[in-house]
C-alpha cells in the first residue's frame, strides 16, 4: 500500500512538474512575441512627500497584458526574461517607453516629476550606459527626469561582471536608487564606492514596523546610514498612516505605497500631473467631524 501511494504521489508530482514546464514553455514562447504584439505597458506609482501629500516622482512598473491569461505580474515573467535573454530587448523597450511618456508630458506643457525605471542586472552586463541612456537623447528628455532602480543584490553582481560600470555610472550623472535595500548583502565599504543617490527601503521592513521592534530598528538604522552617506531615502510599500507617521518620525519623508495609490495607468498618472502643481494630491484626509 505504502509503495502504491508513494508511486501515485510521485506520478502526481511528475505531472505537476510537467504542467509547470508546459506553462513556462508556453509563457516563454508568448514572451518572445509580446513585444511585437504590443502587449506590454507601463504603470506608474506615485512617490509622495509625507505629510504634505505632494507628488514628487513616479516609479514605472512593467505590465504584460496577455491576450488569454490577462495581466501577468512582472514577478512571474521578469525572471523568465532574465533567464532567456529577452530582458535585454524588453528593458530597452521600458526605457524608451518611459522616455517617450515623459516627452509627451513635456509636449503637453505639464511639469513632469522624475520617473524611475527598474533595470535588470542582465541588461547592464549586456548593454553599456550609453546604450541604456540612448532613449533620453532620442526623446530629448532631461537627465534629471529619469532615475534607475537596481536591486541591492543586482548591483553587487553586476559590478563584479562589468568592472567599467562604476566609472561609467558616475560619469553619466544619472541618479541611481538601490531597490529593495536591506534585503541584499552589500558591505558598507562597497556602498561607499558606488555612485548611489537613493536607498529604497524594502517593503518587508515597513510592513513589519507595526509589530516588530527589530524591523523598526532596521528602518531607523537605514535612515541613519543614508544620512551619513548623504543619500536620499524612499520607502516602498507604505500601506497605513501609522507606518507613514513612524517613517516620518525617523526622518524618511518620501514614500510610495497603497496608502497613496497602487500603480496606475497612463491616464491616471497624467491626471495627477495636471493637478500636482496647485494641489497636494495625496494629503491625508481631514479628520471627519461628528454631526
Ligand atoms: P519593485 O521595483 O520593488 O517594485 C515595487 C513593487 O511593490 C511593485 O510590484 C508594486 O506594485 C508593489 N507595491 C507598491 N506599493 C505597495 C504596497 O503598498 N504594498 C504592497 N504589498 N506592494 C506594493 P510589481 O509592479 O508587481 O513589480 C514587482 C517587481 O518586478 C518590481 O519590484 C521590480 O523588481 C520588477 N519590475 C517591475 N517592472 C520592471 C521593469 O520594467 N524592469 C525590470 N527589470 N523589473 C521590473
Ligand atoms: Mg523598483
Ligand atoms: Mg523595491
Ligand atoms: Mg522588489
Amino acid at each position: 500500500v505504502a509503495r502504491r501511494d508513494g508511486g501515485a504521489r510521485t506520478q502526481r508530482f511528475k505531472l505537476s512538474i510537467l504542467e509547470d514546464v508546459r506553462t513556462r514553455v508556453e509563457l516563454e514562447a508568448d514572451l518572445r512575441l509580446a513585444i511585437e504584439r504590443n502587449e506590454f505597458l507601463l504603470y506608474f506609482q506615485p512617490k509622495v512627500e509625507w505629510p504634505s501629500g505632494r507628488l514628487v516622482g513616479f516609479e514605472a512598473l512593467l505590465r504584460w497584458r496577455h491576450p488569454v491569461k490577462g495581466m501577468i505580474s512582472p514577478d512571474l515573467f521578469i525572471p523568465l526574461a532574465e533567464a532567456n535573454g529577452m530582458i535585454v530587448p524588453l528593458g530597452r523597450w521600458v526605457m524608451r517607453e518611459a522616455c517617450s511618456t515623459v516627452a509627451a508630458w513635456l509636449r503637453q506643457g505639464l511639469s513632469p516629476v522624475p520617473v524611475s525605471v527598474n533595470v535588470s542586472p542582465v541588461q547592464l552586463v549586456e548593454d553599456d550606459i550609453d546604450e541604456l541612456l540612448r532613449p533620453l537623447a532620442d526623446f530629448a528628455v532631461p537627465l534629471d527626469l529619469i532615475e534607475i532602480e537596481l536591486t541591492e543584490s543586482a548591483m553587487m553582481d553586476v559590478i563584479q561582471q562589468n568592472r567599467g560600470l562604476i566609472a561609467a555610472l558616475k560619469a553619466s550623472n544619472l541618479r541611481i536608487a538601490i531597490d529593495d535595500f536591506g534585503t541584499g548583502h552589500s558591505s558598507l565599504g562597497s556602498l561607499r564606492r558606488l555612485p548611489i543617490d537613493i536607498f529604497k527601503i524594502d517593503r518587508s521592513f515597513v510592513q513589519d514596523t507595526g509589530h516588530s521592534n527589530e524591523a523598526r530598528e532596521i528602518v531607523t538604522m537605514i535612515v541613519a546610514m543614508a544620512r551619513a552617506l548623504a543619500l536620499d531615502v524612499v520607502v516602498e510599500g507604505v500601506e497605513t498612516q501609522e507606518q507613514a507617521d513612524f517613517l516620518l518620525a525617523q526622518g524618511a519623508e518620501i514614500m510610495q505605497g497603497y496608502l497613496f495609490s497602487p500603480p496606475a495607468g497612463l491616464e491616471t498618472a497624467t491626471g495627477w500631473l495636471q493637478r500636482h502643481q496647485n494641489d497636494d494630491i495625496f494629503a491625508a484626509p481631514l479628520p471627519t467631524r461628528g454631526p
Side-chain angles (χ1 to χ4, degrees):
V1 170
R3 219 178 105 204
R4 234 189 11 239
D5 274 350
R9 209 176 308 133
T10 310
Q11 194 60 26
R12 267 201 306 279
F13 181 61
K14 278 186 183 152
L15 276 176
S16 91
I17 287 186
L18 277 179
E19 276 295 305
D20 286 354
V21 170
R22 203 172 58 89
T23 322
R24 192 192 151 101
V25 169
E26 269 174 22
L27 269 186
E28 207 167 331
D30 291 355
L31 193 56
R32 288 183 195 281
L33 291 170
I35 292 189
E36 301 169 28
R37 291 183 179 161
N38 240 330
E39 291 169 2
F40 289 106
L41 65 162
L42 291 185
Y43 271 21
F44 299 89
Q45 188 177 34
K47 292 179 192 165
V48 172
E49 179 192 76
W50 184 256
S52 72
R54 208 161 57 87
L55 173 69
V56 295
F58 285 130
E59 176 173 12
L61 292 157
L62 187 57
R63 294 291 179 270
W64 179 8
R65 197 179 353 218
H66 189 282
V68 179
K69 299 183 176 79
M71 269 316 176
I72 303 183
S73 156
D75 281 330
L76 263 173
F77 66 83
I78 297 273
L80 250 173
E82 284 178 329
N84 70 12
M86 271 288 300
I87 192 69
V88 175
L90 190 52
R92 289 180 190 143
W93 181 87
V94 170
M95 186 59 94
R96 287 195 76 75
E97 189 67 14
C99 288
S100 123
T101 303
V102 172
W105 283 333
L106 288 168
R107 274 199 311 277
Q108 292 164 47
L110 298 171
S111 106
V113 290
V115 174
S116 65
V117 172
N118 294 281
V119 174
S120 159
V122 179
Q123 197 185 342
L124 279 187
V125 171
E126 189 96 354
D127 285 351
D128 55 25
I129 298 300
D130 290 345
E131 177 74 45
L132 181 73
L133 297 183
R134 198 180 312 279
L136 277 85
D138 291 349
F139 290 96
V141 168
L143 191 64
D144 57 0
L145 288 180
I146 295 286
E147 296 171 354
I148 65 170
E149 297 192 6
L150 283 164
T151 61
E152 189 185 2
S153 41
M155 187 86 187
M156 296 300 147
D157 290 350
V158 120
I159 55 170
Q160 296 203 329
Q161 290 185 62
N162 183 348
R163 288 284 169 184
L165 189 67
I166 295 185
L169 285 173
K170 272 198 181 124
S172 74
N173 277 324
L174 178 68
R175 272 171 66 82
I176 300 168
I178 297 217
D179 206 349
D180 304 346
F181 189 76
T183 60
H185 50 268
S186 38
S187 70
L188 292 174
S190 54
L191 284 176
R192 207 168 53 89
R193 283 189 304 117
L194 296 177
I196 303 164
D197 303 283
I198 303 153
F199 281 162
K200 259 193 116 168
I201 302 184
D202 191 66
R203 70 163 180 263
S204 58
F205 301 116
V206 181
Q207 281 166 0
D208 291 343
T209 50
H211 54 265
S212 158
N213 197 40
E214 193 184 69
R216 282 193 294 273
E217 292 292 339
I218 291 174
V219 169
T220 307
M221 259 176 44
I222 296 177
V223 175
M225 194 153 71
R227 195 169 296 137
L229 296 167
L231 306 179
D232 294 332
V233 170
V234 176
V235 190
E236 64 180 16
V238 180
E239 295 183 352
T240 68
Q241 196 158 325
E242 290 69 37
Q243 289 165 353
D245 288 336
F246 166 77
L247 294 162
L248 181 64
Q250 305 311 302
E253 53 191 17
I254 308 298
M255 310 176 190
Q256 195 182 326
Y258 296 167
L259 172 62
F260 312 105
S261 173
L266 178 64
E267 255 181 66
T268 305
T270 305
W272 286 325
L273 282 178
Q274 284 161 347
R275 288 165 50 203
H276 84 113
Q277 281 183 302
N278 19 21
D279 191 359
D280 293 334
I281 309 174
F282 301 102
L286 291 172
T288 46
R289 288 172 188 233

